[in-house]
């Protein structure tokens, strides 16, 4: 990409030129998501002109890092990669091993900023383990890279209330809350944001989004993946801390929040935090913890590990809109399918005039389902008459997939969208310190008295106890009927 082309793209984005400092630049997340994502942003008209400095514990030089970045983009990019564009982008990358110290990092950032025109902003992305966050923050201060900068932090944001409060306090010594962006890539997905559009832009759904019409809600994120060599991270964390606090509770807030006064970060954060304040502390009796068979044989896992690789729970929101409506959350590793769905179950009619055996109720209540996978789908199911004599009812659905729209090529991946938002200073899809501390407060009863882990088979849907947890309802996954494929 030429300098003039880059400036054109930067002007189209509406954001100042940026130097991105990527900590953990040789790690798995960087290779799979961040490097391909930054490459795409640089090639698009959405992003400002970017220069990047990668840093990690690996002893690489610029060329070694460029080779790693090229391989990452070729292997993991979901879009066609132009070799010419890639080669041009690679020349804008620099690498500084952390062993070189804060001075070398500062010098590299200064050199990169000098290649850009106008007022240059700094964005630091901390793709590092939790224990490395504070040392990295200190490196940034020693390098003189704190003032006016923004910092993107990866989960987990603490492991309990005490650690979350301590972590936030330590970070706030160097960075103001307005500079901090705690990332949840689930909220960067088109389908997650579509919840706001469905709820607040449609007179069909807004009036019925409450306890009078909704029976229960399911947020279900099973994974087929195992540890994949990440035992050092996962063993002290587990499924609840890794997924529920930082992902599923955030999605719950989008589903349950009141209408914000504006489609703006402060207004949306305020309404999300009200949901968290209204959440009833978790009852350990309403939680099922599981561990897949064979987990304790994974490299780096203790032979008597009590870490859960699966968790399902019921939580409640004690406010006017949702009193009495249970929210069921489930996630786990090594499960039958990899899915990311939100399912809104509507109440059934109080009395049926239809004859026995007609089919009504056979497939459960009507549902509105959001698929948060990259394909981004929405389905509304309902009963309708089967053509022919008599009164037989079948379950039908209205479905929408983003792949059916002409704008499908404009979809940004979750990380791309959120990095772009951080460059614009937009906190709408990010988590606040207040919100995360409240969620750890809600989680305290479970963390203090967790139920025992139950074994489950690899490729299953979790321990059998999940059915007692949700009774008299049933889990939507596995689906009885497959999604219709886009034509």
């Amino acid at each position: 990409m030429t300098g003039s082309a880059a400036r054109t793209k930067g002007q189209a984005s509406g954001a100042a030129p940026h130097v991105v400092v990527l900590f953990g630049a040789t790690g798995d997340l960087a290779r799979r998501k961040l490097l391909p994502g930054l490459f795409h942003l640089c090639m698009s008209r959405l992003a400002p002109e970017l220069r990047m400095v990668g840093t990690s514990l690996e002893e690489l030089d610029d060329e070694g890092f460029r080779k790693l970045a090229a391989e990452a983009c070729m292997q993991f990019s979901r879009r066609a990669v132009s070799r010419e564009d890639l080669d041009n982008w690679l020349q804008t990358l620099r690498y500084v091993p952390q062993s070189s110290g804060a001075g070398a990092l500062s010098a590299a950032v200064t050199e990169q900023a000098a290649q850009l025109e106008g007022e240059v902003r700094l964005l630091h992305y901390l793709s590092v383990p939790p224990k490395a966050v504070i040392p990295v923050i200190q490196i940034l201060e020693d390098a003189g890279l704190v003032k006016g900068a923004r910092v993107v932090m990866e989960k987990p944001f603490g492991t309990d209330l005490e650690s979350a409060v301590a972590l936030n306090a330590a970070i706030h010594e160097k960075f103001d809350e307005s500079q901090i962006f705690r990332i949840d890539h689930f909220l960067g997905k088109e389908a997650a944001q579509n919840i706001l559009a469905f709820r607040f832009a449609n007179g069909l759904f807004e009036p019925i989004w409450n306890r009078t019409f909704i029976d229960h809600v399911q947020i279900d994120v099973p994974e087929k993946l195992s540890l994949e060599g990440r035992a050092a991270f996962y063993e002290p964390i587990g499924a609840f801390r890794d997924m529920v606090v930082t992902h599923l509770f955030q999605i719950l807030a989008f589903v349950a929040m009141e209408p914000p006064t504006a489609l703006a970060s402060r207004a949306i954060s305020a309404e999300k935090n009200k949901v968290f304040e209204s959440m009833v502390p978790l009852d350990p009796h309403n939680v099922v913890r599981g561990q897949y068979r064979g987990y304790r044989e994974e490299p780096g896992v203790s032979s008597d590990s009590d870490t859960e690789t699966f968790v399902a729970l019921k939580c409640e929101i004690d406010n006017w809109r949702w009193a009495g409506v249970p929210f069921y959350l489930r996630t786990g590793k090594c499960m039958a399918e990899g899915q990311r769905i939100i399912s809104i179950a509507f109440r059934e009619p109080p009395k049926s005039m239809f004859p026995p055996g007609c089919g009504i109720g056979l497939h459960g209540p009507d549902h509105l389902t959001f698929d948060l996978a990259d394909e981004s789908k929405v389905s509304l199911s309902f009963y309708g008459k089967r053509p022919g004599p008599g009164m037989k009812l079948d379950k039908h659905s209205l479905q929408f997939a983003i792949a059916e729209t002409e704008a499908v090529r404009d979809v940004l991946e979750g990380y791309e969208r959120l990095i772009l938002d951080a460059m614009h200073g937009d906190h709408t899809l990010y988590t606040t310190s207040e919100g995360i501390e409240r969620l750890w407060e809600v989680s305290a009863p479970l963390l203090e008295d967790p139920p025992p882990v139950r074994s489950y088979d690899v490729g299953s849907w979790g321990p059998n106890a999940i059915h007692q947890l949700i009774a008299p309802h049933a889990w939507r996954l596995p689906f009885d009927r497959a999604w219709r494929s886009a034509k």
Side-chain angles (χ1 to χ4, degrees):
M1 182 170 60
T2 65
S4 61
R7 283 190 290 276
T8 300
K9 294 177 183 292
Q11 290 166 358
S13 76
H18 271 70
V19 174
V20 177
V21 181
L22 177 57
F23 286 84
T26 61
D28 187 66
L29 177 61
R31 292 187 302 107
R32 290 178 177 271
K33 294 294 184 181
L34 304 181
L35 291 169
L38 285 165
F39 168 62
H40 176 250
L41 288 177
C42 284
M43 293 302 104
S44 74
R45 292 182 58 84
L46 297 172
E49 187 177 2
L50 303 180
R51 308 281 296 195
M52 191 176 77
V53 177
T55 181
S56 75
L57 299 177
E58 298 289 333
E59 294 294 331
L60 296 176
D61 58 13
D62 288 347
E63 288 308 313
F65 179 57
R66 289 165 183 165
K67 180 180 178 182
L68 180 149
E71 292 172 352
C73 291
M74 296 298 290
Q75 182 177 357
F76 295 111
S77 177
R78 296 180 63 246
R79 305 172 179 87
V81 175
S82 161
R83 189 68 219 195
E84 180 182 0
D85 286 342
L86 181 59
D87 288 341
N88 289 335
W89 178 69
L90 293 173
Q91 296 309 306
T92 69
L93 308 186
R94 288 288 314 278
Y95 183 81
V96 178
Q98 287 189 4
S99 61
S100 297
L105 180 63
S106 177
V109 171
T110 300
E111 291 174 12
Q112 290 287 62
Q115 304 299 314
L116 303 172
E117 296 181 359
E119 182 181 354
V120 178
R121 298 214 58 139
L122 296 180
L123 179 69
H124 308 306
Y125 197 115
L126 275 55
S127 179
V128 298
K131 63 182 180 181
V133 171
I134 300 304
V136 165
I137 295 292
Q138 187 60 52
I139 289 172
L140 290 173
E141 183 180 50
D142 294 343
L145 301 176
V146 169
K147 185 177 180 180
R150 294 168 178 145
V151 57
V152 178
M153 293 179 55
E154 277 286 341
K155 67 176 176 76
F157 313 116
T159 56
D160 54 22
L161 178 58
E162 182 180 2
S163 62
V165 171
L167 177 63
N168 285 328
I171 296 170
H172 287 156
E173 289 180 3
K174 316 296 184 185
F175 289 92
D176 184 76
E177 179 67 17
S178 64
Q179 296 175 269
I180 303 169
F181 294 76
R182 298 171 187 82
I183 196 168
D184 174 10
H185 68 275
F186 275 42
L187 296 186
K189 294 180 177 296
E190 287 287 337
Q193 297 169 57
N194 214 13
I195 298 169
L196 298 181
F198 259 76
R199 286 196 56 189
F200 303 127
N202 295 294
L204 174 62
F205 295 110
E206 192 279 329
I208 62 173
W209 208 269
N210 55 59
R211 59 187 173 84
T212 304
F213 299 97
I214 292 177
D215 183 79
H216 68 277
V217 177
Q218 295 182 33
I219 301 174
D220 209 348
V221 186
E223 297 181 297
K224 294 184 70 173
L225 299 176
S226 63
L227 283 192
E228 299 192 317
R230 299 170 67 235
F233 165 80
Y234 201 83
E235 258 288 86
I237 299 297
F240 179 79
R241 291 178 170 93
D242 183 40
M243 291 292 292
V244 176
V245 176
T246 51
H247 291 322
L248 274 64
F249 280 164
Q250 302 299 325
I251 295 172
L252 180 151
F254 264 36
V255 174
M257 63 190 280
E258 295 296 321
T261 56
L263 195 63
S265 59
R266 183 172 298 181
I268 290 176
S269 293
E271 296 304 333
K272 285 175 59 183
N273 287 341
K274 288 178 185 177
V275 173
F276 300 148
E277 286 296 327
S278 299
M279 289 176 65
V280 178
L282 296 180
D283 182 348
H285 293 96
N286 291 329
V287 180
V288 175
R289 297 169 69 234
Q291 186 183 92
Y292 67 80
R293 291 185 173 89
Y295 173 78
R296 293 176 181 178
E297 283 72 54
E298 296 271 13
V301 173
S302 171
S303 60
D304 60 351
S305 173
D306 189 50
T307 298
E308 79 279 356
T309 63
F310 170 96
V311 63
L313 58 92
K314 180 177 79 170
C315 61
E316 298 174 284
I317 301 172
D318 189 20
N319 64 16
W320 190 271
R321 182 183 293 267
W322 296 111
V325 177
F327 286 72
Y328 298 100
L329 281 56
R330 177 173 64 168
T331 186
K333 291 190 175 296
C334 288
M335 299 185 70
E337 296 178 18
Q339 295 275 4
R340 297 170 181 176
I341 73 152
I342 304 167
S343 184
I344 315 294
F346 294 99
R347 295 194 184 278
E348 298 185 58
K351 183 173 176 62
S352 176
M353 66 181 184
F354 296 96
C358 71
I360 191 169
L362 185 63
H363 298 288
D366 301 336
H367 287 88
L368 176 63
T369 303
F370 296 87
D371 186 340
L372 302 187
D374 292 331
E375 291 78 12
S376 185
K377 302 173 183 176
V378 181
S379 172
L380 178 64
S381 68
F382 55 91
Y383 286 96
K385 182 183 178 301
R386 182 186 303 172
M391 182 56 74
K392 292 287 186 180
L393 302 180
D394 288 327
K395 202 68 175 287
H396 304 288
S397 65
L398 300 173
Q399 296 188 9
F400 161 79
I402 200 164
E404 298 171 353
T405 72
E406 295 180 357
V408 64
R409 294 183 179 180
D410 297 332
V411 174
L412 293 177
E413 287 195 336
Y415 281 103
E416 295 171 353
R417 167 65 187 267
L418 291 167
I419 290 172
L420 193 60
D421 283 355
M423 291 177 182
H424 286 272
D426 186 347
H427 283 84
T428 301
L429 302 177
Y430 285 89
T431 306
T432 66
S433 59
E434 176 187 354
I436 202 68
E437 289 176 12
R438 170 57 185 169
L439 289 176
W440 285 121
E441 186 179 5
V442 168
S443 304
L446 172 61
L447 299 178
E448 293 167 2
D449 185 25
V453 293
R454 303 167 184 258
S455 296
Y456 65 97
D457 291 331
V458 172
S460 71
W461 288 98
N464 289 331
I466 62 172
H467 303 297
Q468 287 76 48
L469 174 69
I470 202 171
H473 314 297
W475 293 99
R476 293 293 317 285
L477 291 175
F479 285 132
D480 293 330
R481 298 173 306 282
W483 288 91
R484 290 196 296 271
S485 59
K487 297 181 179 179

